[in-house]
Amino acid sequence: MNERDTETIRGLLRQEGYSFTDSPEDADLILYNTCCVRENPERKVYGQVGQLQELKAKKPGLIIGICGCMPQQEEELPVMLERLPHVDLFFGTHNIHRLPELLHRINATGERVVEILDDGGEPVEGLPALRDNDFKAFVTIMHGCNNFCSYCIVPYVRGRERSRTPEAILDEIRNLADAGVKEVTLLGQNVNSYGKDLQSDTDFADLLEMVNEVPGIQRIRFTTSHPKDISDKLIQQLGSLDKVCEHLHLPVQAGSNNVLRRMNRKYTREYYLEIVEKVRQAVPGISLTTDIMVGFPGESDADFADTLSLVEEVGFDSAFTFIYSLRKGTPATEMADQVPEEVKKERIYQLIDLQNKISLKRNQALVGSEVEVLVEGASKSDSHMLTGKTRTAKTVLFPGSQDLIGELVKVKIVEAQTWSLVGELI
Ligand code: SAH
Ligand code: SF4
């Protein structure tokens, strides 16, 4: 979501005549797009932006800005304003389109500008975007979230669900296809509730069907799906729409019903497993990935054992694993029985270890198979090796010429590793 926002910010800046540099010393403007979902990245912002104080002293005309969801937190903003006195600009997730005007204001007055809006209002359409490549693109289909999982800050900083209209989404995707984009990833905090806030009765499964019709688009991905809202209709569509990739990211968060209840996830372990079963029946060979958290308040050894057993039972292809971190203003922060840091660490190591073994095993099962790969670039360590993604969202490395970047090719898998596959062009 933040990466997609960054593309809009870059698009707006390009329209304003800015060009881009990798070196802070050369920059007239340095913008940090922050995320407040977990604590660690927030700490890094204070460290990294803090270090720019010296550069700012040497180059007084330099504008430093912080945007994203971190300044969107009511309690964090005053701390940022005080601890980062050399930052000229603060804006949030709801007023990205106002960036040119905010910059003009700083240039005109030389004063610090802080503009944070509480409410997103209607989605703003027609903003430019500057993407890193021209063959795949993120497309936001909805903003915000209504779920209020008890650990999560997102609904507070990104506001309630606001779906873009199917017309606006399809227009954007048709334009992308005309520009040569082959793969789109539809973005929302919970795409399964797409359209519930619109007048039309288009739901997410219908939207997928419409996107599937767009000529030129060859792969459709989406993230994220909340298990409680995944419908049988959607599961059927996953199996029948040819461009929809065989991959489902379905965050489970925990394997214990006690924990799931206190997380306010609104499903049980049994329900989750039932969905997995249905999805695997509808789409044989689908890869399943997930988000899992350890150390949620009150998580006992037995609860954690339930997470491990669920991970084993499902056999995820891969998982994003997180240590629970307290977020101010969320209900879980107030819960008793916060889990000690060393216990959280011990648990995450165990979880990662188990998931790595499963990932490797699932990758090994692919050795000898032939897969379609969208070539994304050259390997950083060896320019003769290309890297790309299968429809099942697995990374494949294989020897080939850089002319193939952006193309769909057929590759035979010859070796499996935990995080990637090695192949040969067919
Ligand atoms: N909307 C998505 C997730 C968005 S946040 C969904 O519901 O699945 C991405 C992931 O960050 C979450 O799935 C969760 O695993 C993790 N996360 C969110 N809040 C967190 C917190 N307070 N501490 C640790 N991890 C958190
Ligand atoms: Fe956060 Fe839950 Fe919404 Fe995902 S569904 S963004 S975890 S509140």
Side-chain angles (χ1 to χ4, degrees):
M1 205 60 88
N2 283 44
E3 268 181 51
R4 178 65 194 84
D5 287 347
T6 297
E7 291 173 351
T8 302
I9 291 169
R10 283 161 51 91
L12 287 163
L13 290 173
R14 183 173 57 179
Q15 263 183 4
E16 289 295 293
Y18 282 86
S19 57
F20 299 89
T21 171
D22 288 332
S23 139
E25 287 75 23
D26 292 339
D28 299 313
L29 167 68
I30 300 177
L31 259 184
Y32 268 77
N33 191 3
T34 61
C35 172
C36 63
V37 169
R38 285 175 298 277
E39 192 182 0
N40 240 349
E42 278 200 340
R43 272 203 219 122
K44 282 191 201 154
V45 170
Y46 283 112
Q48 290 187 17
V49 179
Q51 280 178 5
L52 292 176
Q53 204 147 10
E54 225 172 278
L55 187 63
K56 175 85 178 179
K58 273 196 261 164
K59 196 174 170 182
L62 170 68
I63 298 176
I64 302 175
I66 298 188
C67 58
C69 50
M70 194 173 161
Q72 197 79 51
Q73 301 168 94
E74 236 168 75
E75 290 187 36
E76 197 68 29
L77 181 63
V79 182
M80 299 177 88
L81 292 175
E82 197 190 318
R83 278 185 55 189
L84 302 168
H86 55 298
V87 174
D88 308 280
L89 170 64
F90 290 86
F91 63 102
T93 54
H94 299 312
N95 53 348
I96 290 172
H97 57 287
R98 303 238 324 129
L99 174 60
E101 163 150 3
L102 303 180
L103 287 173
H104 287 303
R105 214 192 296 165
I106 296 177
N107 281 324
T109 64
E111 283 176 12
R112 180 184 243 190
V113 168
V114 181
E115 187 181 279
I116 310 287
L117 308 184
D118 288 339
D119 180 11
E122 295 277 301
V124 181
E125 295 297 344
L127 297 178
L130 179 55
R131 296 182 159 88
D132 272 345
N133 64 57
D134 45 17
F135 50 86
K136 61 172 197 170
F138 290 129
V139 176
T140 301
I141 63 164
M142 59 198 295
H143 303 269
C145 181
N146 289 355
N147 287 310
F148 292 95
C149 301
S150 62
Y151 50 81
C152 184
I153 192 99
V154 170
Y156 304 90
V157 292
R158 292 243 175 211
R160 294 302 81 71
E161 282 174 6
R162 283 136 17 242
S163 300
R164 294 177 67 201
T165 62
E167 294 74 26
I169 295 167
L170 288 167
D171 258 6
E172 181 175 346
I173 296 178
R174 283 192 206 104
N175 285 336
L176 289 167
D178 288 347
V181 166
K182 296 189 170 91
E183 179 183 295
V184 286
T185 302
L186 310 181
L187 291 182
Q189 293 298 345
N190 176 15
V191 293
N192 299 334
S193 65
Y194 170 79
K196 287 187 183 157
D197 57 318
L198 293 177
Q199 301 294 339
S200 83
D201 42 349
T202 308
D203 64 13
F204 182 58
D206 300 328
L207 183 71
L208 276 182
E209 201 170 330
M210 295 173 187
V211 179
N212 201 64
E213 299 296 309
V214 177
I217 296 298
Q218 304 196 36
R219 287 176 161 197
I220 304 168
R221 303 186 182 283
F222 57 88
T223 197
T224 298
S225 281
H226 195 305
K228 79 175 167 62
D229 292 316
I230 197 160
S231 64
D232 286 344
K233 180 174 164 192
L234 177 64
I235 294 175
Q236 289 320 312
Q237 296 284 48
L238 295 185
S240 59
L241 296 174
D242 59 326
K243 296 177 183 174
V244 175
C245 290
E246 295 76 23
H247 168 221
L248 180 64
H249 184 66
L250 196 64
V252 65
Q253 311 299 356
S256 142
N257 283 335
N258 290 332
V259 174
L260 286 171
R261 197 181 50 252
R262 277 178 303 108
M263 284 178 163
N264 195 28
R265 288 291 286 181
K266 301 200 173 84
Y267 55 82
T268 59
R269 170 193 180 97
E270 293 72 27
Y271 182 76
Y272 186 91
L273 290 171
E274 220 174 278
I275 292 173
V276 166
E277 183 63 34
K278 278 192 204 169
V279 168
R280 284 196 163 137
Q281 257 175 27
V283 196
I286 193 168
S287 82
L288 286 174
T289 58
T290 197
D291 292 353
I292 310 173
M293 211 184 294
V294 301
F296 185 78
E299 183 188 67
S300 64
D301 286 342
D303 291 325
F304 177 60
D306 283 346
T307 292
L308 293 178
S309 74
L310 178 124
V311 165
E312 205 139 20
E313 203 167 330
V314 175
F316 293 107
D317 290 85
S318 66
F320 293 113
T321 52
F322 305 109
I323 289 183
Y324 165 75
S325 64
L326 282 87
R327 302 288 66 205
K328 276 190 213 110
T330 62
T333 300
E334 310 298 326
M335 289 180 186
D337 304 328
Q338 297 287 332
V339 176
E341 280 311 307
E342 17 354 315
V343 176
K344 289 183 186 171
K345 284 212 175 106
E346 172 55 35
R347 287 182 185 164
I348 200 143
Y349 291 141
Q350 270 194 59
L351 176 63
I352 292 173
D353 197 41
L354 172 65
Q355 182 53 51
N356 284 353
K357 285 185 187 132
I358 296 171
S359 297
L360 179 61
K361 217 154 121 194
R362 292 194 61 84
N363 282 348
Q364 279 166 340
L366 296 172
V367 172
S369 65
E370 292 176 6
V371 292
E372 179 199 272
V373 175
L374 176 59
V375 187
E376 297 190 349
S379 148
K380 282 195 187 105
S381 49
D382 177 355
S383 62
H384 298 295
M385 290 295 275
L386 298 175
T387 144
K389 287 256 173 6
T390 62
R391 285 175 59 102
T392 53
K394 294 187 185 261
T395 300
V396 186
L397 285 150
F398 57 98
S401 137
Q402 295 202 14
D403 301 345
L404 293 174
I405 294 173
E407 299 297 322
L408 288 164
V409 296
K410 284 262 182 276
V411 172
K412 182 173 177 168
I413 303 303
V414 295
E415 193 190 322
Q417 295 163 355
T418 307
W419 303 108
S420 59
L421 299 160
V422 182
E424 284 166 359
L425 274 170
I426 299 174

